[in-house]
Amino acid sequence: MAQTSDGMTFKDAIVLVSSDGTTYKDISGFGASVAVDEGERATPEQHTFEGDTPIVLAGKRAQTKVTVRYVYTDATSDAFDEIEDMYATEGGEIHLKYSPKGGQWFTASPAIIKKPGYPGGDAKADAVVMCEFVIACSELTRSAASS
């Protein structure tokens, strides 16, 4: 197979959040990174008295966690306010969609906010105040940008 020439960066990513899965708010202007801890599949194994290698089977997948880092501001209706409001609601449900460049959406819908990510920092004040929130979902689904 020939080497691709179609790589891309994450610099123009789009990140959307919603409390209901219908009306999304674009937090891309605050967003700094998206990290995905894939839903690892369990692989049970068992050795027997004969043979040197184990029997390995495919188990079920674990939850997928997504961590979004973003810039904190004191403004109302910023990314922090959106996430904090969703976290404070019973169940902490969130719907998240992101796209590296607008061609494909990766969607966690619905998901649960595990960690709302309050602002913190260092007294040396040479860095932008950042927050991050962590969500857990059963899986990420992929769809074309039109959806």
Side-chain angles (χ1 to χ4, degrees):
M1 179 178 273
Q3 179 178 355
T4 183
S5 60
D6 290 337
M8 67 179 75
T9 68
F10 216 73
K11 72 179 185 66
D12 294 320
I14 304 163
V15 181
L16 309 174
V17 295
S18 172
S19 61
D20 61 10
T22 303
T23 305
Y24 282 85
K25 177 163 184 166
D26 187 343
I27 63 167
S28 305
F30 298 88
S33 69
V34 175
V36 180
D37 180 8
E38 305 286 343
E40 187 174 307
R41 183 176 297 280
T43 52
E45 67 177 75
Q46 181 61 54
H47 285 279
T48 64
F49 293 121
E50 286 192 27
D52 190 39
T53 59
I55 298 167
V56 179
L57 302 173
K60 296 191 177 196
R61 292 185 291 173
Q63 66 182 323
T64 298
K65 294 181 203 153
V66 180
T67 302
V68 178
R69 287 184 45 84
Y70 62 96
V71 174
Y72 173 80
T73 70
D74 280 335
T76 56
S77 298
D78 69 354
F80 178 79
D81 285 345
E82 293 289 324
I83 302 307
E84 185 183 41
D85 288 349
M86 288 182 234
Y87 178 73
T89 303
E90 185 174 343
E93 187 172 284
I94 186 172
H95 301 260
L96 172 82
K97 292 170 80 169
Y98 70 92
S99 177
K101 197 168 181 163
Q104 296 279 324
W105 285 107
F106 294 88
T107 304
S109 186
I112 305 300
I113 300 173
K114 291 180 62 92
K115 182 178 114 179
Y118 293 98
D122 191 312
K124 62 183 174 178
D126 65 348
V128 174
V129 177
M130 301 295 290
C131 290
E132 69 179 26
F133 64 92
V134 179
I135 66 168
C137 61
S138 58
E139 65 181 335
L140 289 176
T141 57
R142 187 172 59 143
S143 62
S146 62
S147 59

